[in-house]
Amino acid sequence: MNTVNLTVNGKPVSATIQPRTHLADFLRETLNLTGTHLGCEHGVCGACTLLVDGVPTRSCITFAVSCERAEVTTVEGLDNDEITRELRAAFSQEHGLQCGYCTPGMIVSARDVVQRMAAPSEHDVRVAMSGNLCRCTGYVGIVRAIQRVVEARRGRGIAAIPDGNRKRLGPSGSGHADPASVAETARPKAVSPAATKKPAKSSAPAPRKDTDWKPQTSFVQGFTVSHPVDVVWDFFGNIPEVASCLPGASLAGDPVDGHVEGQIKVKVGPISAEFLGVADVTRDDTTRTGTIDGSGKDKRSNSSTRGLIGYEVVPGANLDETRVNINIGFTLTGALAQFSRSGLVQDVAGRLIGAFVQNLEAKLSHKAAGGTGAAPVVAELDAGALVFSVIVSRFKALWAKMTGRGQ
Ligand code: FES
Ligand code: FES
């Protein structure tokens, strides 16, 4: 962890953060400044553009620690800025926005154009704004809005302030950070060959644990089941039964000494991923705790995941109820990594767990009634539908907050 001191929208901020945290995540998740949007997270779309020491900067590819002592201005900090006010009106008059997702980044870049360029042609504006992508408008309204503001200001005798020193656009950082500390903290540490050596082979099936692995994202979830703790704990010992409660999961064969191979299908909008992988399952009857350590790969999207789940099964608040507390840590890489933002994943995991509990309850109730097992209620995870329901529930929560009404 590193401490960073900077000024955000005129207020001094000091925080202890992970060196890899990018500026946009820091602003959105630590300071709740969600006006900075994230699109590609690869420095391509411009949605995350803000000002670092007055220079438009891609905050998704700028480490927050590299902004030590910088003046950061987000779109929220431009509320009372004169050029921004004029641009907001012009965007509205020229139909320069529809969904508005690109708009904060557009406004920050457009403000820079208005400030620096004396009399830009349509072509000049298009070139200057070419680092900001918009999926809705076709750009005509955006370009017109910018030209309108430039012309109006020059007409009022307000000259451009060309920045002759401008040599680069982001990621710029502040230029204040101690290069040694940035280099040390922002780059992955060199790992000695000895540290990367695979563990020696043992008689256990396919040992796969790399002890220095740390999940990128971790969070805690839990649920309550309306069945006694012994029954739930016994059920958790039956890996195929547990897997059958997980939407989209299936095993390739019987577990051997807690080692299983299988797959899980996930639909994310139009993308259908099928992670093939392995997992090692441990459990401790004394403490009623267990772990599932798994990894998988989806060939089509070339995405990989590694996850470690720890759980404990404890008596619930009411008689014959059981509480299951879960620690989830995972890393997702490849094309699907864009869906690994922690808030979203927690919400999606909450809904996935909801489906799991629904299936678990159905099976346990069926067994308690003397049946031989019920088919899972939810057979496949459609993360696209889940993501949509997450957005709807967040919108509802925001609406309730704004209107002061409960949901
Ligand atoms: S989110 Fe696309 S450039 Fe930063
Ligand atoms: S207004 Fe929708 S992306 Fe630009």
Side-chain angles (χ1 to χ4, degrees):
M1 299 292 268
N2 285 73
T3 302
V4 65
N5 304 289
L6 65 170
T7 305
V8 179
N9 298 334
K11 291 189 188 135
V13 172
S14 179
T16 303
I17 52 173
Q18 293 272 7
R20 65 164 183 261
T21 304
H22 63 58
L23 184 57
D25 266 354
F26 173 64
L27 295 166
R28 291 177 55 86
E29 295 186 8
T30 309
L31 304 183
N32 208 22
L33 290 170
T34 52
T36 298
H37 288 177
L38 282 165
C40 64
E41 292 192 71
H42 293 294
V44 175
C45 73
C48 65
T49 308
L50 43 70
L51 300 175
V52 175
D53 290 338
V55 179
T57 300
R58 308 288 209 222
S59 56
C60 71
I61 49 171
T62 301
F63 288 121
V65 290
S66 74
C67 295
E68 176 70 15
R69 287 185 288 135
E71 294 268 353
V72 172
T73 308
T74 68
V75 74
E76 290 95 336
L78 295 171
D79 261 4
N80 299 317
D81 173 75
E82 187 183 285
I83 302 178
T84 308
R85 240 186 2 246
E86 290 171 22
L87 279 168
R88 279 202 303 262
F91 266 60
S92 169
Q93 285 151 356
E94 298 288 354
H95 306 291
L97 75 156
Q98 285 182 25
C99 78
Y101 200 86
C102 68
T103 310
M106 283 285 178
I107 292 279
V108 173
S109 298
R111 181 184 177 278
D112 187 63
V113 171
V114 172
Q115 198 166 38
R116 280 190 306 113
M117 302 176 82
S121 64
E122 179 191 331
H123 176 75
D124 294 336
V125 174
R126 283 184 181 270
V127 170
M129 295 295 293
S130 59
N132 288 75
L133 306 183
C134 174
R135 308 191 333 166
C136 305
T137 62
Y139 301 101
V140 174
I142 293 173
V143 175
R144 274 204 210 122
I146 296 169
Q147 284 190 295
R148 183 177 180 142
V149 175
V150 172
E151 281 160 21
R153 289 179 72 81
R154 304 299 170 257
R156 299 202 308 270
I158 305 171
I161 313 169
D163 183 351
N165 295 325
R166 180 74 57 81
K167 294 277 191 303
R168 61 183 180 183
L169 293 175
S172 60
S174 65
H176 297 142
D178 169 8
S181 79
V182 173
E184 188 187 312
T185 55
R187 287 185 202 139
K189 288 215 166 66
V191 182
S192 74
T196 57
K197 231 166 92 184
K198 292 202 172 118
K201 270 200 163 182
S202 81
S203 55
R208 194 188 41 77
K209 289 188 173 73
D210 34 344
T211 48
D212 55 355
W213 175 76
K214 286 206 174 54
Q216 234 167 35
T217 308
S218 306
F219 54 93
V220 176
Q221 295 263 0
F223 58 86
T224 301
V225 196
S226 314
H227 294 273
V229 69
D230 290 340
V231 173
V232 175
W233 178 245
D234 280 353
F235 186 88
F236 272 47
N238 188 332
I239 298 170
E241 284 279 62
V242 172
S244 72
C245 290
L246 200 61
S250 59
L251 299 184
D254 286 336
V256 179
D257 291 343
H259 180 79
V260 284
E261 292 182 17
Q263 64 182 59
I264 183 159
K265 289 183 188 163
V266 187
K267 273 175 77 184
V268 183
I271 302 168
S272 179
E274 196 170 316
F275 284 94
L276 297 175
V278 293
D280 293 306
V281 181
T282 65
R283 63 191 247 123
D284 181 342
D285 286 320
T286 332
T287 54
R288 287 203 187 110
T289 55
T291 60
I292 302 165
D293 185 354
S295 60
K297 187 166 173 72
D298 172 53
K299 282 208 181 120
R300 261 184 299 181
S301 67
N302 203 19
S303 300
S304 298
T305 186
R306 173 80 203 271
L308 180 61
I309 299 173
Y311 66 90
E312 63 167 355
V313 176
V314 295
N318 299 316
L319 195 66
D320 284 351
E321 266 187 9
T322 301
R323 176 84 193 151
V324 181
N325 298 318
I326 314 171
N327 267 302
I328 300 171
F330 75 96
T331 299
L332 190 56
T333 53
L336 294 178
Q338 59 184 301
F339 297 99
S340 71
R341 305 194 60 70
S342 65
L344 192 62
V345 167
Q346 283 186 48
D347 283 338
V348 170
R351 282 155 176 79
L352 176 58
I353 289 169
F356 175 83
V357 175
Q358 204 180 330
N359 293 340
L360 177 64
E361 290 271 15
K363 287 202 169 237
L364 290 176
S365 301
H366 194 68
K367 267 198 182 128
T372 53
V377 183
V378 182
E380 187 174 302
L381 168 66
D382 184 344
L386 290 175
V387 167
F388 180 73
S389 66
V390 166
I391 291 166
V392 169
S393 70
R394 285 191 173 184
F395 180 76
K396 278 185 186 163
L398 180 66
W399 178 253
K401 202 170 154 191
M402 283 164 61
T403 58
R405 284 185 221 148
Q407 288 179 68

